[in-house]
Amino acid sequence: MNHGPISPLSNEDFKQRRSELLSRCLPNSLCIIPAASLVKRSNDTEYAFRQDSDFWYLTGFNEPEAVLLLSNSDDYNGQMSMVFVQPTDAFAEVWHGRRLGVRNAANTLGVDYAHSVEELDEHLTDIVDGHHQLYFASKANPRADDFIEFAIESCRSAPKQSKAAPHAICDIRPILHGMRLIKCEKEIEILKRAAEISAEAHIRAMKYAYAGCNEFELEAEIKHEFAIKGAKHEAYHSIVGGGENACILHYTENNQAIADGELVLIDAGCELHGYAADITRTFPVNGQFTEAQKALYQLVLDSQYAALEALKPGNTIAQGMSAAVRVITEGLIELGILQGDLDENLEDETWKAFFMHGLGHWLGLDVHDVGVYKSKGKDCPLVPGMVMTVEPGLYIPSSAKVAPQFKGIGIRIEDDIVITESGHKVLTSKVPKRIEDIEALMS
Ligand code: GLY
Ligand code: MN
Ligand code: MN
């Protein structure tokens, strides 16, 4: 029985996405979208199953090994959907869990036809026969590369040229990922809830923190809050870095005690109905910023505000990045961390020594979501429905040639936003980021 939160997405939504995908493909095309497989973790044990994001986007079906076929051939009166699923198997289900099964699949998933995945090879050659284009994501799934190659070769080598192999193999990703890049209202609703749960988890970690606590204690607080709010999984491994560990961008060891006087950087977000949140906050483990920490922190926060101002329809992420970089560079010169004049520093990109990643990324079913950022060398303009992170940072390792009070400090402030008609909306505003608000919460 499922006691988890109910997704606002319905079979109708998935059906509409499938239909939209087919309408963007050339006539007489077959799309092939495989589900993910289980991945071995150690003997007789697998990693927690995570569905392939493309397959999930088009079906909402969470079983491994399935395959979705979609056709817009006239042979099927315009549009056809077919799913191959694991058959029911009393023995396998006792060991590994329930399966939807072939009999229930078409009705439950709202597709036209369902078959056992064990019969895939047998059916696929006949289905491929006569389609002019095959759309799939080659090299993304070795199992699919194999069964698609088998079907194409079977058509080519059919006796007496009795089957017509496809004329063209097309990449499904530009179309499908273009669709995923623009979120509908229901997706935004889920992303907003994922962001709220994640914000509550960050607040809980801030309230829990104490000088000397271990990074993994904060990680546990975060994960517990996700789970009790209905988000069973993290969207990615939480990063909890005290002191200089915050300068390791993808630090996930999370096993060190955080000393009195140190900052801690937490980058954590839950996954809800497949959609990710991605929040970073940096705060003093003892609840009080030092003057040097305040100076650097305020600089990152001001750079984030400057970037946010630029993030609206028609503008680009690059414009947000330039705004953030200008504020950071000015501030670093003022603090004596960079020397010389602003324009020279901007020209020489000296800030890259301390802010070495981009401003943010698309956010959706994948935490680093699909969708292009540039086309023909030009940055793509933002449009309503795009969801992204805004995450400037400053990372000053102890080896840096700077005044001692700035050494060993890593700061990132990351929020999630949706681009709206009039600008943007911050989805993660519930978790404080102003110095006085963080200190008040932790006092
Ligand atoms: N949590 C990974 C990132 O911020 O990109
Ligand atoms: Mn991020
Ligand atoms: Mn992050």
Side-chain angles (χ1 to χ4, degrees), residues 236 250 267 277-280 359-363 367-368 388-391 412 414-416:
Y236 52 93
H250 288 168
D267 183 343
D278 185 5
I279 302 179
T280 308
L359 181 67
H361 49 84
W362 308 131
L363 184 69
V367 63
H368 287 185
M388 62 175 287
T389 67
V390 189
E391 48 179 305
R412 178 162 66 254
E414 176 174 29
D415 283 295
D416 304 340

Side-chain angles (χ1 to χ4, degrees), residues 34 36 52 84 142 169 192 259 290 312 351 370 411 433:
D52 175 83
F84 289 80
I169 305 298
K192 186 163 168 261
T290 65
K312 54 186 176 193
W351 48 274
V370 294
I411 297 166
K433 61 182 170 182

Side-chain angles (χ1 to χ4, degrees), residues 124-418:
L124 190 59
T125 305
D126 289 336
I127 298 168
V128 166
D129 176 17
H131 280 96
H132 286 176
Q133 297 81 220
L134 286 196
Y135 283 85
F136 67 101
S138 69
K139 301 218 165 92
N141 180 320
R143 174 178 71 111
D145 287 343
D146 286 350
F147 67 67
I148 293 168
E149 179 70 15
F150 176 80
I152 296 170
E153 283 308 319
S154 300
C155 284
R156 287 184 184 140
S157 61
K160 299 185 180 160
Q161 279 96 33
S162 58
K163 292 189 194 299
H167 307 185
I169 305 298
C170 303
D171 193 347
I172 199 169
R173 284 166 284 209
I175 298 177
L176 186 50
H177 295 177
M179 288 171 60
R180 281 178 52 191
L181 177 58
I182 310 299
K183 275 70 178 176
C184 70
E185 273 175 30
K186 287 183 182 177
E187 290 179 292
I188 292 168
E189 200 181 310
I190 299 171
L191 284 158
K192 186 163 168 261
R193 183 64 195 135
E196 277 169 9
I197 293 171
S198 305
E200 284 157 13
H202 277 263
I203 289 171
R204 176 163 159 177
M206 282 181 189
K207 285 184 174 164
Y208 175 92
Y210 60 93
C213 78
N214 198 291
E215 292 162 350
F216 55 56
E217 292 176 66
L218 300 179
E219 183 182 7
E221 291 293 308
I222 294 264
K223 284 182 176 168
H224 189 199
E225 192 70 13
F226 289 171
I228 60 176
K229 294 287 163 64
K232 185 168 149 48
H233 295 287
E234 303 169 288
Y236 52 93
H237 291 304
S238 297
I239 297 167
V240 182
E244 194 167 356
N245 291 340
C247 296
I248 303 169
L249 298 180
H250 288 168
Y251 176 78
T252 51
E253 286 161 74
N254 302 353
N255 61 4
Q256 299 298 307
I258 309 164
D260 198 9
E262 286 186 328
L263 292 178
V264 54
L265 179 156
I266 301 185
D267 183 343
C270 73
E271 182 174 285
L272 187 68
H273 305 307
Y275 289 84
D278 185 5
I279 302 179
T280 308
R281 287 294 184 266
T282 311
F283 57 89
V285 73
N286 66 12
Q288 290 282 318
F289 286 87
T290 65
E291 287 310 309
Q293 289 166 351
K294 269 186 190 171
L296 290 173
Y297 184 93
Q298 192 59 44
L299 193 47
V300 178
L301 185 57
D302 288 342
S303 78
Q304 198 211 34
Y305 287 139
L308 282 166
E309 223 165 285
L311 298 173
K312 54 186 176 193
N315 279 5
T316 62
I317 296 178
Q319 282 171 280
M321 181 69 172
S322 307
V325 160
R326 176 166 279 268
V327 170
I328 284 202
T329 308
E330 261 171 356
L332 290 177
I333 294 169
E334 223 162 87
L335 294 174
I337 294 173
L338 290 177
Q339 283 76 42
D341 116 302
L342 176 62
D343 288 336
E344 263 170 33
N345 275 283
L346 289 174
E347 173 84 23
D348 297 342
E349 300 185 324
T350 52
W351 48 274
K352 279 193 173 167
F354 306 110
F355 172 24
M356 59 292 280
H357 57 75
L359 181 67
H361 49 84
W362 308 131
L363 184 69
L365 286 172
D366 291 305
V367 63
H368 287 185
D369 207 25
V370 294
V372 293
Y373 295 89
K374 278 176 182 261
S375 175
K376 291 189 181 144
K378 278 182 70 177
D379 293 287
C380 299
L382 296 168
V383 301
M386 287 176 163
V387 176
M388 62 175 287
T389 67
V390 189
E391 48 179 305
L394 272 178
Y395 312 90
I396 307 186
S398 49
S399 56
K401 292 189 176 60
V402 302
Q405 68 271 28
F406 297 128
K407 286 176 187 267
I409 292 180
I411 297 166
R412 178 162 66 254
I413 305 172
E414 176 174 29
D415 283 295
D416 304 340
I417 68 167
V418 53

